[in-house]
Amino acid sequence: MSQAHNEEMGAKITTKAYVVGFILALLLTIVSFGMAMSGAFSRTATIVGLFIAAFAQMVVHLHYFLHLDRSSAQRWNVIALLFTALLLFIFVGGTLWVMYTLNVRMM
């Protein structure tokens, strides 16, 4: 990304932000791998921990690499992301609901 493009977007993007994002993503990956491979936690605790680490890693990627934040320059990008998440929820939730009701009606 060029400096002019960064200034047009209204965000100050530095190398430090990329390094911090990379380190956080790496730590979350190591924590997830450690939880899954160590066997020190119960199955339920491991699954919940993996979901929490996956959500945290998604937030890290959105903030540090895609530069989505609360600034006015990023508002439409955040709205588009939230709308996409809503559509995915409707598609996946609707599919699961239809499959469940079909299964109940066939039994």
Side-chain angles (χ1 to χ4, degrees):
M1 224 178 247
S2 68
Q3 182 69 22
H5 182 68
N6 292 342
E7 292 174 0
E8 287 176 7
M9 295 178 60
K12 186 177 180 181
I13 301 169
T14 62
T15 304
K16 181 181 176 183
Y18 285 112
V19 172
V20 169
F22 175 74
I23 290 171
L24 286 174
L26 189 64
L27 286 175
L28 288 168
T29 301
I30 291 170
V31 167
S32 299
F33 186 76
M35 285 183 67
M37 295 304 291
S38 70
F41 303 101
S42 69
R43 183 179 173 99
T44 304
T46 302
I47 291 172
V48 169
L50 289 176
F51 273 107
I52 291 170
F55 183 76
Q57 190 156 34
M58 186 176 70
V59 170
V60 166
H61 282 254
L62 289 173
H63 181 73
Y64 287 103
F65 299 124
L66 296 178
H67 310 291
L68 292 180
D69 55 15
R70 295 181 184 181
S71 68
S72 61
Q74 294 296 323
R75 186 167 293 144
W76 283 108
N77 291 335
V78 172
I79 290 172
L81 178 72
L82 292 175
F83 184 69
T84 302
L86 176 67
L87 288 179
L88 283 173
F89 176 75
I90 290 171
F91 291 152
V92 172
T95 300
L96 291 174
W97 179 67
V98 166
M99 297 302 281
Y100 175 74
T101 56
L102 282 176
N103 186 29
V104 169
R105 291 179 188 199
M106 295 295 286
M107 296 295 162

